[in-house]
Amino acid sequence: MIRARFAPSPTGYLHIGSARTFIFNWLYVRKHGGALVLRIDDTDIERNTEASLNSIYEGLNWLNLGWDEFYRQSERLELHRKLAFGLLAKGLAYRDFMPAATDLEDRPHGQGPWLCNPEMRALSQSASDARAAAGEPFAVRFRVHREPSREISFCDEVYGPQSKMTADIEDFALLRSNAMPTYHLSSCADDIDLGITHIIRGQDHLANTFKHVLLFEAAGAPLPSFAHLPLLIAPDGAKLSKRKHGPVVSVVTYRDNGFLSLAYINFLCLLGWSSKDNREQMTLAELQSAFGFEGVHRSNAVVNFSDADPIDPKALWLNSQHLRSMPVTALAPLVRRVLEDHGLRPYGDDVFFDRVVDTIRTRFSTLLDFPTKGRAYFADDFHIEKQALDKLDAPGARELLRALADRLQADPDFTESSVEAQLRKLAEERGVKAGVLINASRAALTGQPVGPSAFAVFICIGRERTIARLRKV
RNA sequence: GGCGCUAUCGUCUAAGGGUUAGGACGGAGCCCUCUCAAGGCUCAAAUAGGGGUUCGAAUCCCCUUAGCGCUACCA
């Protein structure tokens, strides 16, 4: 039974890179059957905020994939401390009474990495106990075995065999001097306790994994399998950050821009992973069955955005593809919600609404297009664009539209084909090209020079409103 | 500085010794057409550089370069 976890720390909104990690975890678990644990890694009390936690939920809720179990590390501190003190008792860890190095430049640079504070590592058990008993604050560090230096290795599902000498691994902290566990400790303690079998996370943890291997080993726990994911980066090659790159890095930005979560999930999956047959537009079910670590790349992927084009064009394209191809019954409620948000209420019943949505979605690329470009389908007070006005200003156009209104009023059917027949007949009688009347009609009905087939537009606007709008111009 | 990872069109990627280096987005053009999309067709666009190995290298090896990550009592 597979058990994977997604472990965000609440220091900001849900980052798109984190969202992708979550999605890959979800896909893997759902494909192979198992449980997905959502674990909030909130042991850094200095930086964590409740607001961040809420915005992470907000992002996750939009993705709407769900999870099976939930934990907060801040509620499991005793478990973490128990592991640290157990290691301390066995001599696999030691107390460090030195104050925290606040400035990295304090460390001797130039000849290799900082490994430990030798006096602290060498402190006798009794001296250490005495100082602790006297109330002196201390951090607890893992005692990395180095003499002789040993090779630590594991096989990453994505990056393959990895190894590193213990001579290159510093005595990392387990417990801070405020008694709070560090990431390494709490993460491993929880992974062990929660029976995590697969750790799927960002590549920024690849080098940390050696420490984790050491910790699993010291705790006598079996090693889970690891899969590290390439990072998502900005076009300038830098790590995506809100400070530098703005809202593009937050998932809710895409929600707020009218993206379908399934389309955005699809887009994110294509960054750093590809299916064997190179398919791009995929449903969740297709992603689930196609996903595997073999298809995950080892190099970072650039999210392609710019000031002129703040959203990756491929994401937009995928969204429009999904918008067109998903079942209308699934799309309609989403459109209804966005219309409500804009103070619009659909005309007619559900069947009629579905038909309208199905017709106009063929030219739209986001949900936001429905209340904006599609406003005329849901309200009478729509803007008439300049180019539409030009069509109405064509010689005789307005009079023709009024004549058409009369014919339609006399037409008992009002179907696409009956309307087309009436319109073409009128055009022929008056000796004008049908196109002129067709384009003028679209302009009168929607205020736009572009849109779906005009005959479909007539039906979507509805008989009464059509007649009224044709006469009003 | 040390350790590790990576390198194919602008971007996402396919090809894991033999291909005119393929596809997608975006760009340009054509067709279709009541407009605009969609769709179809076409064009421009890439193996970071240098050495090996080999009959043959995008692919294997080495070096260089560049980028990224870790090197915190952040995660």
Side-chain angles (χ1 to χ4, degrees):
Chain A
M1 182 69 153
I2 284 173
R3 290 175 62 79
R5 69 351 180 241
F6 173 62
S9 66
T11 52
Y13 48 86
L14 183 66
H15 188 280
I16 55 179
S18 305
R20 192 198 53 174
T21 299
F22 172 73
I23 293 164
F24 284 4
N25 270 282
W26 188 93
L27 254 15
Y28 191 76
V29 164
R30 288 289 170 270
K31 175 166 183 170
H32 297 100
L36 177 60
V37 170
L38 171 62
R39 190 182 73 203
I40 305 298
D41 282 9
D42 55 354
T43 57
D44 185 2
I45 48 179
E46 311 279 311
R47 299 161 196 242
N48 297 158
T49 66
E50 211 59 19
S52 296
L53 183 56
N54 288 334
S55 72
I56 287 171
Y57 286 140
E58 203 184 344
L60 253 19
N61 287 337
W62 178 60
L63 258 20
N64 198 28
L65 295 175
W67 52 85
D68 304 303
E69 294 173 29
F70 172 81
Y71 305 92
R72 279 185 81 148
Q73 286 195 320
S74 55
E75 292 164 358
R76 303 166 58 83
L77 301 176
E78 287 320 308
L79 178 83
H80 311 150
R81 288 178 184 135
K82 197 175 144 199
L83 176 57
F85 286 112
L87 295 177
L88 188 60
K90 283 191 230 161
L92 294 171
Y94 61 92
R95 295 189 187 89
D96 181 348
F97 295 95
M98 302 273 275
T102 47
D103 188 358
L104 268 63
E105 302 310 310
D106 288 353
R107 260 73 185 280
H109 250 246
Q111 43 282 80
W114 174 90
L115 291 174
C116 64
N117 298 322
E119 325 85 275
M120 293 295 124
R121 184 173 158 117
L123 209 60
S124 73
Q125 189 70 261
S126 54
S128 174
D129 289 348
R131 288 174 69 169
E136 197 176 332
F138 59 86
V140 173
R141 291 185 180 281
F142 189 85
R143 187 187 298 276
V144 177
H145 190 268
R146 294 205 192 79
E147 280 148 16
S149 182
R150 184 160 71 94
E151 188 180 61
I152 304 301
S153 58
F154 66 94
C155 187
D156 189 86
E157 301 274 359
V158 172
Y159 287 86
Q162 302 291 314
S163 63
K164 191 169 190 168
M165 300 304 289
T166 51
D168 295 315
I169 303 173
E170 76 283 1
D171 285 355
F172 54 96
L174 262 23
L175 243 30
R176 300 181 175 93
S177 45
N178 64 3
M180 286 299 283
T182 63
Y183 164 74
H184 300 301
L185 174 69
S186 51
S187 177
C188 291
D190 278 336
D191 287 338
I192 293 167
D193 184 67
L194 300 172
I196 300 302
T197 60
H198 293 257
I199 296 181
I200 305 165
R201 78 227 303 190
Q203 190 248 40
D204 46 344
H205 286 301
L206 189 60
N208 283 330
T209 306
F210 297 102
K211 296 171 193 167
H212 302 172
V213 170
L214 249 19
L215 226 29
F216 277 97
E217 197 179 86
L223 204 61
S225 55
F226 293 94
H228 287 90
L229 273 16
L231 268 19
L232 260 34
I233 57 174
D236 61 9
K239 194 156 117 175
L240 288 169
S241 79
K242 183 149 196 171
R243 259 187 85 88
K244 193 164 176 197
H245 305 108
V248 280
V249 304
S250 172
V251 285
V252 294
T253 299
Y254 300 89
R255 175 197 65 187
D256 297 342
N257 277 279
F259 271 75
L260 297 161
S261 47
L262 293 178
Y264 198 67
I265 288 168
N266 189 171
F267 169 70
L268 248 19
C269 284
L270 262 22
L271 256 22
W273 172 82
S274 60
S275 71
K276 284 189 173 63
D277 53 11
N278 236 340
R279 266 178 303 163
E280 308 220 285
Q281 189 201 344
M282 286 187 265
T283 63
L284 234 207
E286 287 168 338
L287 287 167
Q288 188 180 312
S289 73
F291 184 76
F293 297 129
E294 329 77 55
V296 177
H297 305 161
R298 287 169 292 272
S299 52
N300 295 343
V302 173
V303 179
N304 198 15
F305 63 89
S306 61
D307 290 338
D309 233 345
I311 290 177
D312 193 316
K314 196 151 189 171
L316 229 29
W317 172 77
L318 268 173
N319 201 61
S320 62
Q321 293 297 309
H322 281 272
L323 200 68
R324 286 163 173 72
S325 60
M326 71 192 290
V328 202
T329 48
L331 178 60
L334 303 176
V335 175
R336 211 176 270 281
R337 193 173 316 150
V338 74
L339 290 176
E340 265 171 43
D341 292 344
H342 286 76
L344 296 174
R345 197 160 286 281
Y347 297 126
D349 61 12
D350 286 2
V351 175
F352 180 74
F353 181 62
D354 286 358
R355 180 170 185 173
V356 172
V357 168
D358 197 27
T359 300
I360 64 182
R361 68 168 167 171
T362 57
R363 337 258 133 168
F364 290 171
S365 64
T366 75
L367 289 171
L368 253 27
D369 289 335
F370 288 88
T372 55
K373 292 184 195 169
R375 185 178 178 92
Y377 295 89
F378 309 107
D380 288 319
D381 58 331
F382 52 90
H383 171 70
I384 297 179
E385 291 175 25
K386 169 79 176 68
Q387 283 161 302
L389 209 52
D390 291 345
K391 309 248 185 208
L392 297 175
D393 287 339
R398 288 191 164 79
E399 193 279 319
L400 271 169
L401 291 177
R402 279 190 287 274
L404 179 61
D406 294 341
R407 305 266 175 124
L408 294 180
Q409 189 149 42
D411 173 18
D413 296 343
F414 200 76
T415 61
E416 267 188 56
S417 55
S418 78
V419 170
E420 176 162 10
Q422 296 286 357
L423 184 146
R424 289 194 188 279
K425 189 165 157 240
L426 176 63
E428 197 181 338
E429 285 172 20
R430 301 295 185 89
V432 298
K433 287 204 289 189
V436 174
L437 193 44
I438 286 170
N439 290 326
S441 299
R442 185 186 293 103
L445 297 179
T446 67
Q448 292 168 346
V450 302
S453 160
F455 306 115
V457 171
F458 280 95
I459 307 306
C460 289
I461 298 299
R463 185 190 180 119
E464 277 67 42
R465 280 178 297 276
T466 291
I467 291 166
R469 289 179 190 181
L470 291 177
R471 284 188 172 141
K472 208 176 91 184
V473 289

